[in-house]
Amino acid sequence: MNSDVLIIGAGVIGLCIARELHKKGFRRIEIVERGKAGQEASFAAAGMLAPNAETDKIDDFYHFCSESNGLYPGFAAELLEETGIDIELDRSGTLFLAFSEKDAAVLRNRFNWQRDAGLRVEHLTAAETLGLEPFISTDVCESLFFADDWQVENRKLLAALLKYTQLNGIEIQEHTEIQRICLEDGKITGAESASNKFLADLTILATGAWTSLIKLGEAAMPIIVKPIRGQMIGFHPHERLFQRVIYSPRGYIVPRADGRILTGATVEDAGFDKSVTEDGVGKLREAALEIAPCLGDFEISDRWTGLRPFAAEGLPILGEIPNAGNLFVATAHYRNGILLAPLTAKIIAARIAEGKVSEYLKIFHPQRFRGVEQLSQLL
Ligand code: FAD
Ligand code: GLY
């Protein structure tokens, strides 16, 4: 098939871009996926939409996160209308607990600058915190409450995006690993796997942690993305014990509507190894029990891992490879790809469909990698 747009990678980023391009009128969109669609980092994630809880400064990345978060209510409503799938956007907010004077000092610092910057953050006493979440540890000293940090059921989000592709004739070729972006006479003509060529007017790399493994013609990919493993565990108490996402400095718990409680996550440089380790599970359980000792009454019901796509400074890589004109990259969303998917898709699609260059494309452009500058001179 000769597509208008070839998207490599069917994670949340590739699927959101496909949907956005389809809404802008593109009809021949093909997605190629090395495994099964929507089963990698986007599936492993906790689904927190948390621009504020972990932030220590207001910078371009903060604004990018915050703006994308603001798209979620509309995005969730549209997906429900388009696919009938409720992605369980939960706007109950996020608590960040302190269990020691050292934890409290970090929280107070965050509270002071965020309040001074006009962000929505509240400083709560232990009693106020326990009033909101009675099942947490009575050892809590104080907490911060972030009303604008939410959560979404990321697996339902993936299900909704996949349903959108099915309903709208967007083809997904699964179990097909792209090895090379094809370059002919200085122009990108698509991509190839071991046995197939996928010709397209325009190619988008949404390949998460695996991006650097793909060749660009005969050259190595000049964009450096590495996998950072995150292990997670789950408990399933069958009734909803917590209403909000709850962090401590050592981990977080995310209560789902069906009673499941996800606990995350490790941050490990372990290459492409997706093992769950005894050490990782032990540390996660400890972090969960510090937040809520009552979780010790439940078996660990589930354990899994995912590979976060990390690039220099932890910042995403978004936009066009200069001079190629028809090769785009949308990757390296590291710890915030679920949060950043709606805005990423909007700015990439607006660039492709209307030539609009968002400020964020100027900030997170791929040319910040020296090899991309050099490569673009060859095109
Ligand atoms: P992926 O979902 O990994 O998708 C990339 C796809 O590309 C994969 O399916 C892969 O198979 C495919 N692919 C790669 N190479 C090729 C190739 N050569 N040919 C064909 N296909 C290819 N983010 C948040 O916003 N909130 C959270 O709470 C959160 N929690 C997280 C918790 C954990 C444990 C982890 C691991 C991540 C978490 N994240 C969170 C981060 C988020 O999951 C990622 O940033 C996001 O999923 C990245 O999306 P993606 O589509 O780029 O990557
Ligand atoms: N954003 C949560 C994580 O990456 O673990």
Side-chain angles (χ1 to χ4, degrees):
M1 174 172 160
N2 193 347
S3 314
D4 295 331
V5 183
L6 174 68
I7 298 175
I8 309 170
V12 74
I13 300 297
L15 293 170
C16 272
I17 293 173
R19 170 180 174 271
E20 204 62 42
L21 284 171
H22 183 269
K23 286 165 84 73
K24 289 201 180 287
F26 285 80
R27 287 296 170 264
R28 292 190 311 161
I29 302 172
E30 182 163 26
I31 306 179
V32 183
E33 165 56 49
R34 57 188 268 287
K36 266 186 77 62
Q39 292 294 310
E40 293 291 351
S42 307
F43 191 79
M48 296 179 297
L49 308 176
N52 301 292
E54 291 183 60
T55 308
D56 278 317
K57 56 182 182 299
I58 294 204
D59 56 6
D60 294 323
F61 184 66
Y62 172 78
H63 289 299
F64 190 45
C65 289
S66 200
E67 217 177 295
S68 197
N69 200 36
L71 295 177
Y72 255 96
F75 181 48
E78 281 174 20
L79 282 172
L80 181 61
E81 170 85 24
E82 290 160 0
T83 68
I85 296 177
D86 177 1
I87 64 169
E88 295 177 13
L89 174 66
D90 182 335
R91 297 166 73 178
S92 311
T94 292
L95 278 169
F96 205 127
L97 312 184
F99 287 103
S100 65
E101 196 40 54
K102 192 170 160 225
D103 290 354
V106 176
L107 258 60
R108 282 180 212 150
N109 182 39
R110 191 163 294 166
F111 173 72
N112 288 335
W113 81 258
Q114 290 206 359
R115 180 202 48 199
D116 294 348
L119 305 186
R120 279 221 296 172
V121 55
E122 285 171 57
H123 193 181
L124 306 181
T125 62
E128 288 168 331
T129 311
L130 284 159
L132 288 179
E133 293 288 357
F135 289 100
I136 61 168
S137 170
T138 49
D139 289 341
V140 65
C141 310
E142 54 193 85
S143 74
L144 297 185
F145 177 63
F146 301 93
D148 293 328
D149 283 10
W150 309 327
Q151 65 147 311
V152 69
E153 210 324 354
N154 44 293
R155 295 181 183 180
K156 294 211 169 149
L157 168 61
L158 290 164
L161 291 167
L162 287 169
K163 179 119 184 243
Y164 186 95
T165 64
Q166 286 157 12
L167 293 173
N168 292 288
I170 300 172
E171 271 194 43
I172 305 185
Q173 178 88 37
E174 294 186 319
H175 306 294
T176 305
E177 180 163 5
I178 293 298
Q179 297 182 332
R180 181 189 316 278
I181 302 294
C182 302
L183 251 174
E184 279 167 36
D185 302 327
K187 198 171 156 44
I188 280 135
T189 54
E192 64 186 19
S193 66
S195 56
N196 252 323
K197 211 164 190 167
F198 299 87
L199 296 174
D201 296 339
L202 202 139
T203 301
I204 304 173
L205 281 167
T207 33
W210 295 265
T211 304
S212 299
L213 303 183
I214 300 175
K215 286 190 137 188
L216 233 174
E218 293 310 314
M221 179 62 66
I223 290 165
I224 310 301
V225 178
K226 65 187 264 186
I228 297 294
R229 181 167 75 187
Q231 301 188 45
M232 299 270 297
I233 58 171
F235 301 89
H236 200 162
H238 296 294
E239 59 173 318
R240 190 153 178 183
L241 297 179
F242 308 99
Q243 300 309 313
R244 298 159 189 81
V245 172
I246 307 174
Y247 279 88
S248 82
R250 288 156 290 280
Y252 52 76
I253 64 171
V254 180
R256 295 294 202 221
D258 63 2
R260 275 178 307 136
I261 296 167
L262 319 187
T263 297
T266 63
V267 180
E268 303 165 86
D269 187 352
F272 288 95
D273 178 357
K274 287 207 317 180
S275 313
V276 177
T277 65
E278 281 315 308
D279 183 52
V281 170
K283 284 188 176 131
L284 292 171
R285 187 171 180 277
E286 210 175 293
L289 267 58
E290 182 191 32
I291 292 172
C294 66
L295 290 175
D297 296 343
F298 305 100
E299 294 287 311
I300 294 172
S301 57
D302 206 0
R303 47 190 86 193
W304 66 95
T305 54
L307 300 176
R308 305 176 183 91
F310 172 86
E313 297 159 73
L315 296 176
I317 308 172
L318 304 176
E320 183 189 349
I321 300 284
N323 299 339
N326 55 353
L327 179 62
F328 287 75
V329 186
T331 187
H333 293 78
Y334 190 37
R335 302 193 69 166
N336 289 288
I338 305 299
L339 169 63
L340 293 172
L343 187 54
T344 296
K346 275 207 183 301
I347 64 177
I348 294 282
R351 169 66 188 81
I352 290 170
E354 291 135 20
K356 279 191 199 153
V357 184
S358 142
E359 281 306 307
Y360 295 120
L361 291 182
K362 295 180 193 160
I363 296 162
F364 303 121
H365 55 74
Q367 298 96 294
R368 65 180 210 265
F369 293 91
R370 262 188 48 216
V372 175
E373 242 350 309
Q374 284 160 8
L375 180 101
S376 65
Q377 284 157 17
L378 303 176
L379 292 167

